Amino acid sequence: MAEANPFMTLERARNTYWLKTNYKPMGVLFDNGFLTQSRLEWGAKKAYDSAIRDACIVLLKQKQVSTKKLIEKGKLPRNIYEANAVIWPFSIHTGRTGCTMGELIDNRDITKRDLAYAIEKAWDEQVRTAAHIILRSQLGMESEKMNEPKGTLKVTANRSFMEKQIEALSFKKGAFWGTILTTCTILFILDIIYMGVTGAIPTLIDFIVKTKIIGFVSIVIILSFFMFMANLVVKHTAEKKIDDYDFQIKNHKQGRDGEDKVIDVMRECLDGSYHAFRNLVLPNKKEDMDIVLVGPQGVFIFEVKTYNGKYENITDDWYFCGKKKKKIKDSPTNQVKRNAAQLADFLEAVFN
């Protein structure tokens, strides 16, 4: 077993908090039996938090000391860990004395036959009981099974409907601007060609040469005026459309961030017995289901919204509570009910 941080005393170990799945002082969990040998061994090796690892090592050593004291007092072992701490009395089988049964089993110095012999022949009831517990364990008949920590929430993520919408809207926005710029460029080129065909360009050059600075400045002012007017026209016609694209993109990004936050909360609260599927799309369906959570209690569907302001729902209807109460067009309750019905139909078709 690895050594714990020397500053991790027994008191500090007992006051260290366990994982978020059962966020309590480890001393409390140790005393009420939650922190079993297997959980402590798992924590000592695999816990991400170094404080939890060190605390597990300290508590494991404390458990070993307590077990040893229990056995030394002649108490009967109650589980495999206490049974392994019992001293093996038959040196004739091993050629060694003073060794615990656990040490001899680990080194393969005693076999199932030796354990059966101890159950039948040992005069000490403590030895007989320990041999019986260990033999049952080796034969796969141990009554108490330790529940290993199940790890963290599993998440399977698909490319979300919102991400697709963001990409599509960004493309439309770029295409819209591109169309405007291309149109302006084509008109400018056509204007130059027209001026060249009609002879306006030589006349313009002749005017600039004769008037010098005044003519050049006049041309610049006229061009600037036309560009300014063109910009106003383009901005007036395009601004509303661009703002609409930006607004939709912002809403979709907020929705995606909201789903991320829900998944983060689930990771803190749920263990590896749960599996979350993000943005699940059923066959022949376009829109996705935000989050589908599968766990021991069943299958749950989440419709995530990132609304601002105050809302209330009455049965299946949702209302925005501003200066005037306004009914939301597409109720989240109806959405999640619709998704639940579709998923139920899909699962029934697959498994029946």
Side-chain angles (χ1 to χ4, degrees):
M1 184 187 300
E3 291 296 324
N5 188 317
F7 295 102
M8 179 60 72
T9 62
L10 179 59
E11 182 180 358
R12 286 183 178 177
R14 291 181 62 84
N15 290 328
T16 300
Y17 276 74
W18 184 243
L19 304 175
K20 291 182 179 179
T21 52
N22 198 350
Y23 196 62
K24 295 178 181 178
M26 293 176 65
V28 174
L29 299 177
F30 182 80
D31 294 339
N32 66 22
F34 175 80
L35 287 182
T36 59
Q37 180 85 9
S38 59
R39 278 196 171 98
L40 289 172
E41 289 174 352
W42 178 89
K45 293 179 181 178
K46 298 183 179 181
Y48 179 77
D49 191 333
S50 59
I52 294 179
R53 289 200 304 271
D54 292 335
C56 285
I57 293 172
V58 171
L59 291 175
L60 275 171
K61 290 182 177 179
Q62 174 64 20
K63 188 177 181 70
Q64 291 172 355
V65 170
S66 301
T67 300
K68 186 176 180 181
K69 288 181 179 179
L70 179 78
I71 298 304
E72 287 175 349
K73 290 180 181 179
K75 301 289 185 180
L76 296 181
R78 298 162 297 182
N79 52 51
I80 188 67
Y81 308 107
E82 294 177 358
N84 283 332
V86 173
I87 301 298
W88 180 254
F90 305 105
S91 60
I92 189 172
H93 291 86
T94 62
R96 299 165 62 186
T97 58
C99 296
T100 64
M101 295 172 72
E103 292 172 341
L104 295 173
I105 289 171
D106 290 340
N107 293 326
R108 299 183 179 180
D109 289 330
I110 56 176
T111 63
K112 293 183 180 69
R113 180 178 295 179
D114 297 324
L115 292 171
Y117 176 85
I119 293 172
E120 184 179 355
K121 301 293 184 180
W123 61 269
D124 190 339
E125 186 179 2
Q126 187 186 70
V127 175
R128 293 198 304 272
T129 303
H132 187 262
I133 291 173
I134 294 172
L135 185 59
R136 286 179 59 198
S137 174
Q138 291 190 350
L139 294 175
M141 297 186 298
E142 186 177 14
S143 59
E144 182 182 356
K145 293 184 179 180
M146 301 299 178
N147 293 320
E148 292 286 349
K150 297 181 177 63
T152 57
L153 171 74
K154 303 178 186 70
V155 179
T156 300
N158 295 321
R159 190 160 170 264
S160 71
F161 173 77
M162 284 181 290
E163 288 176 339
K164 295 176 184 176
Q165 288 295 97
I166 290 171
E167 287 184 8
L169 289 168
S170 299
F171 176 79
K172 288 180 180 179
K173 179 181 175 182
F176 185 74
W177 272 120
T179 301
I180 291 175
L181 293 175
T182 302
T183 302
C184 292
T185 303
I186 292 173
L187 290 174
F188 178 75
I189 293 173
L190 291 175
D191 188 51
I192 295 296
I193 294 173
Y194 175 77
M195 291 175 67
V197 171
T198 58
I201 292 179
T203 304
L204 184 62
I205 294 173
D206 186 56
F207 172 75
I208 294 173
V209 170
K210 289 180 179 179
T211 57
K212 297 183 180 179
I213 297 297
I214 296 175
F216 179 76
V217 171
S218 300
I219 295 299
V220 170
I221 292 173
I222 293 171
L223 288 175
S224 299
F225 174 76
F226 278 111
M227 290 178 66
F228 175 74
M229 294 302 295
N231 180 62
L232 284 179
V233 172
V234 170
K235 186 176 180 181
H236 179 73
T237 56
E239 191 174 49
K240 185 177 180 181
K241 191 68 176 177
I242 295 300
D243 287 346
D244 182 55
Y245 284 141
D246 288 338
F247 178 75
Q248 292 183 59
I249 290 172
K250 180 182 177 182
N251 282 345
H252 286 304
K253 286 182 177 179
Q254 284 181 344
R256 182 182 59 192
D257 293 342
E259 291 178 11
D260 290 341
K261 290 179 181 178
V262 173
I263 289 294
D264 289 341
V265 172
M266 287 183 175
R267 281 197 172 102
E268 292 180 2
C269 301
L270 303 176
D271 60 21
S273 60
Y274 292 85
H275 196 136
F277 295 87
R278 293 190 60 177
N279 314 120
L280 183 66
V281 181
L282 297 179
N284 301 320
K285 301 295 180 183
K286 292 183 178 180
E287 295 189 2
D288 59 4
M289 301 177 188
D290 291 344
I291 300 173
V292 177
L293 181 67
V294 180
Q297 292 82 12
V299 180
F300 304 89
I301 298 179
F302 293 80
E303 182 67 30
V304 181
K305 299 296 181 185
T306 53
Y307 294 151
N308 293 321
K310 183 180 178 182
Y311 291 80
E312 67 176 26
N313 72 299
I314 302 174
T315 61
D316 292 348
D317 297 325
W318 284 67
Y319 297 87
F320 171 67
C321 301
K323 293 181 179 179
K324 292 183 179 180
K325 186 180 287 188
K326 183 179 179 182
K327 185 177 179 180
I328 297 176
K329 185 177 180 181
D330 195 0
S331 163
T333 304
N334 290 333
Q335 283 182 272
V336 79
K337 282 185 174 181
R338 185 167 61 246
N339 288 339
Q342 291 175 356
L343 182 59
D345 292 341
F346 172 75
L347 294 176
E348 186 176 358
V350 170
F351 292 103
N352 289 339

PDB file of all heavy atoms in Angstrom, residues 12 17 21 46 50 52 73 82 94 122 130 155 163 166 172 190-191 217 259 261 277 312 315 317 330 332:
ATOM      1  N   ARG A  12      -7.780  14.333  10.385  1.00  0.00           N
ATOM      2  CA  ARG A  12      -7.986  15.004   9.098  1.00  0.00           C
ATOM      3  C   ARG A  12      -8.621  14.063   8.083  1.00  0.00           C
ATOM      4  O   ARG A  12      -9.453  14.475   7.269  1.00  0.00           O
ATOM      5  CB  ARG A  12      -6.650  15.519   8.564  1.00  0.00           C
ATOM      6  CG  ARG A  12      -6.127  16.742   9.303  1.00  0.00           C
ATOM      7  CD  ARG A  12      -4.846  17.251   8.685  1.00  0.00           C
ATOM      8  NE  ARG A  12      -4.370  18.458   9.354  1.00  0.00           N
ATOM      9  CZ  ARG A  12      -3.241  19.085   9.062  1.00  0.00           C
ATOM     10  NH1 ARG A  12      -2.456  18.602   8.104  1.00  0.00           N
ATOM     11  NH2 ARG A  12      -2.886  20.176   9.713  1.00  0.00           N
ATOM     12  N   TYR A  17     -13.903  15.161   2.991  1.00  0.00           N
ATOM     13  CA  TYR A  17     -15.195  14.825   2.375  1.00  0.00           C
ATOM     14  C   TYR A  17     -15.002  13.843   1.224  1.00  0.00           C
ATOM     15  O   TYR A  17     -14.058  13.951   0.441  1.00  0.00           O
ATOM     16  CB  TYR A  17     -15.895  16.089   1.875  1.00  0.00           C
ATOM     17  CG  TYR A  17     -16.668  16.796   2.969  1.00  0.00           C
ATOM     18  CD1 TYR A  17     -16.006  17.508   3.961  1.00  0.00           C
ATOM     19  CD2 TYR A  17     -18.055  16.708   3.021  1.00  0.00           C
ATOM     20  CE1 TYR A  17     -16.712  18.137   4.983  1.00  0.00           C
ATOM     21  CE2 TYR A  17     -18.774  17.338   4.032  1.00  0.00           C
ATOM     22  CZ  TYR A  17     -18.095  18.053   5.014  1.00  0.00           C
ATOM     23  OH  TYR A  17     -18.800  18.665   6.010  1.00  0.00           O
ATOM     24  N   THR A  21     -20.904  12.076  -5.020  1.00  0.00           N
ATOM     25  CA  THR A  21     -22.028  11.141  -5.015  1.00  0.00           C
ATOM     26  C   THR A  21     -22.544  10.889  -3.600  1.00  0.00           C
ATOM     27  O   THR A  21     -23.685  10.480  -3.421  1.00  0.00           O
ATOM     28  CB  THR A  21     -21.610   9.799  -5.643  1.00  0.00           C
ATOM     29  OG1 THR A  21     -20.407   9.347  -5.004  1.00  0.00           O
ATOM     30  CG2 THR A  21     -21.358   9.969  -7.133  1.00  0.00           C
ATOM     31  N   LYS A  46      -7.410   5.214  -7.046  1.00  0.00           N
ATOM     32  CA  LYS A  46      -7.956   5.856  -8.238  1.00  0.00           C
ATOM     33  C   LYS A  46      -8.644   7.192  -8.005  1.00  0.00           C
ATOM     34  O   LYS A  46      -9.046   7.836  -8.977  1.00  0.00           O
ATOM     35  CB  LYS A  46      -8.955   4.906  -8.917  1.00  0.00           C
ATOM     36  CG  LYS A  46      -8.323   3.604  -9.389  1.00  0.00           C
ATOM     37  CD  LYS A  46      -9.340   2.742 -10.112  1.00  0.00           C
ATOM     38  CE  LYS A  46      -8.708   1.454 -10.616  1.00  0.00           C
ATOM     39  NZ  LYS A  46      -9.694   0.609 -11.337  1.00  0.00           N
ATOM     40  N   SER A  50      -6.184  14.137  -4.374  1.00  0.00           N
ATOM     41  CA  SER A  50      -5.097  13.554  -3.585  1.00  0.00           C
ATOM     42  C   SER A  50      -5.459  13.485  -2.102  1.00  0.00           C
ATOM     43  O   SER A  50      -5.014  12.573  -1.391  1.00  0.00           O
ATOM     44  CB  SER A  50      -3.815  14.374  -3.767  1.00  0.00           C
ATOM     45  OG  SER A  50      -4.011  15.720  -3.355  1.00  0.00           O
ATOM     46  N   ILE A  52      -8.400  12.817  -0.848  1.00  0.00           N
ATOM     47  CA  ILE A  52      -9.229  11.616  -0.674  1.00  0.00           C
ATOM     48  C   ILE A  52      -8.354  10.367  -0.721  1.00  0.00           C
ATOM     49  O   ILE A  52      -8.544   9.430   0.069  1.00  0.00           O
ATOM     50  CB  ILE A  52     -10.329  11.563  -1.750  1.00  0.00           C
ATOM     51  CG1 ILE A  52     -11.320  12.716  -1.556  1.00  0.00           C
ATOM     52  CG2 ILE A  52     -11.066  10.230  -1.714  1.00  0.00           C
ATOM     53  CD1 ILE A  52     -12.424  12.767  -2.588  1.00  0.00           C
ATOM     54  N   LYS A  73      -8.060 -10.026  20.602  1.00  0.00           N
ATOM     55  CA  LYS A  73      -8.918 -10.205  21.777  1.00  0.00           C
ATOM     56  C   LYS A  73      -9.683 -11.524  21.731  1.00  0.00           C
ATOM     57  O   LYS A  73     -10.436 -11.842  22.652  1.00  0.00           O
ATOM     58  CB  LYS A  73      -9.920  -9.045  21.866  1.00  0.00           C
ATOM     59  CG  LYS A  73      -9.283  -7.714  22.231  1.00  0.00           C
ATOM     60  CD  LYS A  73     -10.337  -6.626  22.297  1.00  0.00           C
ATOM     61  CE  LYS A  73      -9.713  -5.278  22.650  1.00  0.00           C
ATOM     62  NZ  LYS A  73     -10.738  -4.196  22.683  1.00  0.00           N
ATOM     63  N   GLU A  82     -11.564  -9.564   8.403  1.00  0.00           N
ATOM     64  CA  GLU A  82     -11.210  -9.997   9.752  1.00  0.00           C
ATOM     65  C   GLU A  82     -10.706 -11.435   9.744  1.00  0.00           C
ATOM     66  O   GLU A  82      -9.798 -11.788  10.506  1.00  0.00           O
ATOM     67  CB  GLU A  82     -12.423  -9.852  10.672  1.00  0.00           C
ATOM     68  CG  GLU A  82     -12.832  -8.400  10.880  1.00  0.00           C
ATOM     69  CD  GLU A  82     -14.082  -8.240  11.721  1.00  0.00           C
ATOM     70  OE1 GLU A  82     -14.672  -9.264  12.115  1.00  0.00           O
ATOM     71  OE2 GLU A  82     -14.471  -7.091  11.973  1.00  0.00           O
ATOM     72  N   THR A  94       2.778 -25.319   6.609  1.00  0.00           N
ATOM     73  CA  THR A  94       3.491 -24.236   5.926  1.00  0.00           C
ATOM     74  C   THR A  94       4.955 -24.148   6.291  1.00  0.00           C
ATOM     75  O   THR A  94       5.748 -23.565   5.545  1.00  0.00           O
ATOM     76  CB  THR A  94       2.840 -22.882   6.272  1.00  0.00           C
ATOM     77  OG1 THR A  94       2.955 -22.663   7.686  1.00  0.00           O
ATOM     78  CG2 THR A  94       1.374 -22.866   5.875  1.00  0.00           C
ATOM     79  N   ALA A 122      -9.306 -27.688  13.790  1.00  0.00           N
ATOM     80  CA  ALA A 122      -8.800 -26.621  14.666  1.00  0.00           C
ATOM     81  C   ALA A 122      -9.574 -26.598  15.979  1.00  0.00           C
ATOM     82  O   ALA A 122     -10.804 -26.665  15.989  1.00  0.00           O
ATOM     83  CB  ALA A 122      -8.893 -25.279  13.968  1.00  0.00           C
ATOM     84  N   ALA A 130     -12.802 -18.411  10.825  1.00  0.00           N
ATOM     85  CA  ALA A 130     -12.048 -17.705   9.786  1.00  0.00           C
ATOM     86  C   ALA A 130     -11.852 -18.591   8.563  1.00  0.00           C
ATOM     87  O   ALA A 130     -12.021 -18.147   7.418  1.00  0.00           O
ATOM     88  CB  ALA A 130     -10.705 -17.249  10.334  1.00  0.00           C
ATOM     89  N   VAL A 155     -21.641  10.069 -20.905  1.00  0.00           N
ATOM     90  CA  VAL A 155     -22.320  11.011 -21.801  1.00  0.00           C
ATOM     91  C   VAL A 155     -21.965  10.675 -23.243  1.00  0.00           C
ATOM     92  O   VAL A 155     -20.788  10.542 -23.590  1.00  0.00           O
ATOM     93  CB  VAL A 155     -21.919  12.471 -21.498  1.00  0.00           C
ATOM     94  CG1 VAL A 155     -22.629  13.422 -22.463  1.00  0.00           C
ATOM     95  CG2 VAL A 155     -22.256  12.837 -20.056  1.00  0.00           C
ATOM     96  N   GLU A 163     -26.338  23.326 -33.163  1.00  0.00           N
ATOM     97  CA  GLU A 163     -25.067  23.546 -33.858  1.00  0.00           C
ATOM     98  C   GLU A 163     -25.278  23.590 -35.367  1.00  0.00           C
ATOM     99  O   GLU A 163     -24.665  24.402 -36.070  1.00  0.00           O
ATOM    100  CB  GLU A 163     -24.085  22.436 -33.486  1.00  0.00           C
ATOM    101  CG  GLU A 163     -23.563  22.545 -32.058  1.00  0.00           C
ATOM    102  CD  GLU A 163     -22.683  21.380 -31.685  1.00  0.00           C
ATOM    103  OE1 GLU A 163     -22.802  20.326 -32.352  1.00  0.00           O
ATOM    104  OE2 GLU A 163     -21.885  21.510 -30.745  1.00  0.00           O
ATOM    105  N   ILE A 166     -26.802  26.937 -36.133  1.00  0.00           N
ATOM    106  CA  ILE A 166     -25.808  28.013 -36.057  1.00  0.00           C
ATOM    107  C   ILE A 166     -24.972  28.045 -37.329  1.00  0.00           C
ATOM    108  O   ILE A 166     -24.716  29.108 -37.902  1.00  0.00           O
ATOM    109  CB  ILE A 166     -24.912  27.824 -34.811  1.00  0.00           C
ATOM    110  CG1 ILE A 166     -25.722  28.093 -33.536  1.00  0.00           C
ATOM    111  CG2 ILE A 166     -23.702  28.754 -34.866  1.00  0.00           C
ATOM    112  CD1 ILE A 166     -24.988  27.723 -32.261  1.00  0.00           C
ATOM    113  N   LYS A 172     -25.833  31.522 -44.157  1.00  0.00           N
ATOM    114  CA  LYS A 172     -26.795  32.431 -44.792  1.00  0.00           C
ATOM    115  C   LYS A 172     -26.364  33.887 -44.632  1.00  0.00           C
ATOM    116  O   LYS A 172     -26.483  34.692 -45.563  1.00  0.00           O
ATOM    117  CB  LYS A 172     -28.180  32.230 -44.178  1.00  0.00           C
ATOM    118  CG  LYS A 172     -28.854  30.928 -44.574  1.00  0.00           C
ATOM    119  CD  LYS A 172     -30.221  30.809 -43.921  1.00  0.00           C
ATOM    120  CE  LYS A 172     -30.908  29.502 -44.304  1.00  0.00           C
ATOM    121  NZ  LYS A 172     -32.234  29.380 -43.639  1.00  0.00           N
ATOM    122  N   LEU A 190     -19.789  47.450 -64.444  1.00  0.00           N
ATOM    123  CA  LEU A 190     -20.655  47.803 -65.576  1.00  0.00           C
ATOM    124  C   LEU A 190     -20.661  49.309 -65.823  1.00  0.00           C
ATOM    125  O   LEU A 190     -20.690  49.769 -66.979  1.00  0.00           O
ATOM    126  CB  LEU A 190     -22.080  47.306 -65.315  1.00  0.00           C
ATOM    127  CG  LEU A 190     -22.285  45.778 -65.344  1.00  0.00           C
ATOM    128  CD1 LEU A 190     -23.711  45.422 -64.946  1.00  0.00           C
ATOM    129  CD2 LEU A 190     -21.967  45.227 -66.741  1.00  0.00           C
ATOM    130  N   ASP A 191     -20.612  50.067 -64.732  1.00  0.00           N
ATOM    131  CA  ASP A 191     -20.588  51.522 -64.865  1.00  0.00           C
ATOM    132  C   ASP A 191     -19.301  51.984 -65.542  1.00  0.00           C
ATOM    133  O   ASP A 191     -19.313  52.874 -66.413  1.00  0.00           O
ATOM    134  CB  ASP A 191     -20.726  52.161 -63.481  1.00  0.00           C
ATOM    135  CG  ASP A 191     -20.898  53.671 -63.571  1.00  0.00           C
ATOM    136  OD1 ASP A 191     -21.777  54.122 -64.328  1.00  0.00           O
ATOM    137  OD2 ASP A 191     -20.137  54.384 -62.894  1.00  0.00           O
ATOM    138  N   VAL A 217     -10.643  67.019 -56.633  1.00  0.00           N
ATOM    139  CA  VAL A 217     -11.401  67.054 -55.375  1.00  0.00           C
ATOM    140  C   VAL A 217     -12.892  66.913 -55.645  1.00  0.00           C
ATOM    141  O   VAL A 217     -13.621  66.220 -54.917  1.00  0.00           O
ATOM    142  CB  VAL A 217     -11.105  68.355 -54.601  1.00  0.00           C
ATOM    143  CG1 VAL A 217     -12.050  68.498 -53.404  1.00  0.00           C
ATOM    144  CG2 VAL A 217      -9.659  68.379 -54.138  1.00  0.00           C
ATOM    145  N   GLU A 259     -27.641  23.543 -22.243  1.00  0.00           N
ATOM    146  CA  GLU A 259     -27.523  22.081 -22.200  1.00  0.00           C
ATOM    147  C   GLU A 259     -26.206  21.665 -21.544  1.00  0.00           C
ATOM    148  O   GLU A 259     -26.161  20.691 -20.781  1.00  0.00           O
ATOM    149  CB  GLU A 259     -27.615  21.514 -23.617  1.00  0.00           C
ATOM    150  CG  GLU A 259     -28.997  21.654 -24.243  1.00  0.00           C
ATOM    151  CD  GLU A 259     -29.036  21.124 -25.667  1.00  0.00           C
ATOM    152  OE1 GLU A 259     -28.058  20.467 -26.080  1.00  0.00           O
ATOM    153  OE2 GLU A 259     -30.038  21.375 -26.364  1.00  0.00           O
ATOM    154  N   LYS A 261     -24.628  23.231 -19.213  1.00  0.00           N
ATOM    155  CA  LYS A 261     -24.748  23.430 -17.763  1.00  0.00           C
ATOM    156  C   LYS A 261     -25.564  22.308 -17.119  1.00  0.00           C
ATOM    157  O   LYS A 261     -25.238  21.847 -16.019  1.00  0.00           O
ATOM    158  CB  LYS A 261     -25.392  24.787 -17.475  1.00  0.00           C
ATOM    159  CG  LYS A 261     -24.487  25.973 -17.809  1.00  0.00           C
ATOM    160  CD  LYS A 261     -25.180  27.294 -17.540  1.00  0.00           C
ATOM    161  CE  LYS A 261     -24.264  28.467 -17.900  1.00  0.00           C
ATOM    162  NZ  LYS A 261     -24.938  29.778 -17.694  1.00  0.00           N
ATOM    163  N   PHE A 277     -27.668  10.811 -23.112  1.00  0.00           N
ATOM    164  CA  PHE A 277     -27.520  10.942 -24.559  1.00  0.00           C
ATOM    165  C   PHE A 277     -27.928  12.366 -24.943  1.00  0.00           C
ATOM    166  O   PHE A 277     -29.076  12.769 -24.730  1.00  0.00           O
ATOM    167  CB  PHE A 277     -28.398   9.929 -25.292  1.00  0.00           C
ATOM    168  CG  PHE A 277     -28.001   8.499 -25.048  1.00  0.00           C
ATOM    169  CD1 PHE A 277     -28.505   7.804 -23.953  1.00  0.00           C
ATOM    170  CD2 PHE A 277     -27.112   7.860 -25.896  1.00  0.00           C
ATOM    171  CE1 PHE A 277     -28.138   6.492 -23.711  1.00  0.00           C
ATOM    172  CE2 PHE A 277     -26.737   6.542 -25.664  1.00  0.00           C
ATOM    173  CZ  PHE A 277     -27.247   5.858 -24.570  1.00  0.00           C
ATOM    174  N   GLU A 312     -44.235  31.114 -15.974  1.00  0.00           N
ATOM    175  CA  GLU A 312     -45.043  30.181 -15.188  1.00  0.00           C
ATOM    176  C   GLU A 312     -45.806  29.278 -16.144  1.00  0.00           C
ATOM    177  O   GLU A 312     -46.037  29.627 -17.305  1.00  0.00           O
ATOM    178  CB  GLU A 312     -46.011  30.917 -14.268  1.00  0.00           C
ATOM    179  CG  GLU A 312     -47.106  31.678 -14.981  1.00  0.00           C
ATOM    180  CD  GLU A 312     -48.098  32.306 -14.011  1.00  0.00           C
ATOM    181  OE1 GLU A 312     -47.711  32.593 -12.853  1.00  0.00           O
ATOM    182  OE2 GLU A 312     -49.256  32.513 -14.426  1.00  0.00           O
ATOM    183  N   THR A 315     -50.953  23.895 -16.340  1.00  0.00           N
ATOM    184  CA  THR A 315     -51.066  22.601 -17.038  1.00  0.00           C
ATOM    185  C   THR A 315     -49.960  22.513 -18.090  1.00  0.00           C
ATOM    186  O   THR A 315     -48.789  22.577 -17.749  1.00  0.00           O
ATOM    187  CB  THR A 315     -52.471  22.403 -17.648  1.00  0.00           C
ATOM    188  OG1 THR A 315     -52.723  23.436 -18.602  1.00  0.00           O
ATOM    189  CG2 THR A 315     -53.535  22.438 -16.557  1.00  0.00           C
ATOM    190  N   ASP A 317     -49.546  24.702 -20.630  1.00  0.00           N
ATOM    191  CA  ASP A 317     -49.288  26.009 -21.240  1.00  0.00           C
ATOM    192  C   ASP A 317     -48.277  26.803 -20.415  1.00  0.00           C
ATOM    193  O   ASP A 317     -48.311  26.790 -19.181  1.00  0.00           O
ATOM    194  CB  ASP A 317     -50.589  26.810 -21.351  1.00  0.00           C
ATOM    195  CG  ASP A 317     -51.598  26.131 -22.267  1.00  0.00           C
ATOM    196  OD1 ASP A 317     -51.161  25.521 -23.265  1.00  0.00           O
ATOM    197  OD2 ASP A 317     -52.807  26.196 -21.970  1.00  0.00           O
ATOM    198  N   ASP A 330     -44.792  27.708 -28.490  1.00  0.00           N
ATOM    199  CA  ASP A 330     -44.473  26.276 -28.450  1.00  0.00           C
ATOM    200  C   ASP A 330     -44.127  25.886 -27.016  1.00  0.00           C
ATOM    201  O   ASP A 330     -43.025  26.147 -26.532  1.00  0.00           O
ATOM    202  CB  ASP A 330     -43.304  25.961 -29.391  1.00  0.00           C
ATOM    203  CG  ASP A 330     -43.187  24.470 -29.668  1.00  0.00           C
ATOM    204  OD1 ASP A 330     -44.013  23.706 -29.138  1.00  0.00           O
ATOM    205  OD2 ASP A 330     -42.276  24.074 -30.418  1.00  0.00           O
ATOM    206  N   PRO A 332     -42.841  24.150 -23.780  1.00  0.00           N
ATOM    207  CA  PRO A 332     -41.826  23.126 -23.474  1.00  0.00           C
ATOM    208  C   PRO A 332     -42.446  21.820 -22.984  1.00  0.00           C
ATOM    209  O   PRO A 332     -41.924  20.739 -23.262  1.00  0.00           O
ATOM    210  CB  PRO A 332     -40.979  23.786 -22.378  1.00  0.00           C
ATOM    211  CG  PRO A 332     -41.172  25.253 -22.574  1.00  0.00           C
ATOM    212  CD  PRO A 332     -42.578  25.407 -23.051  1.00  0.00           C
TER     213      PRO A 332
END
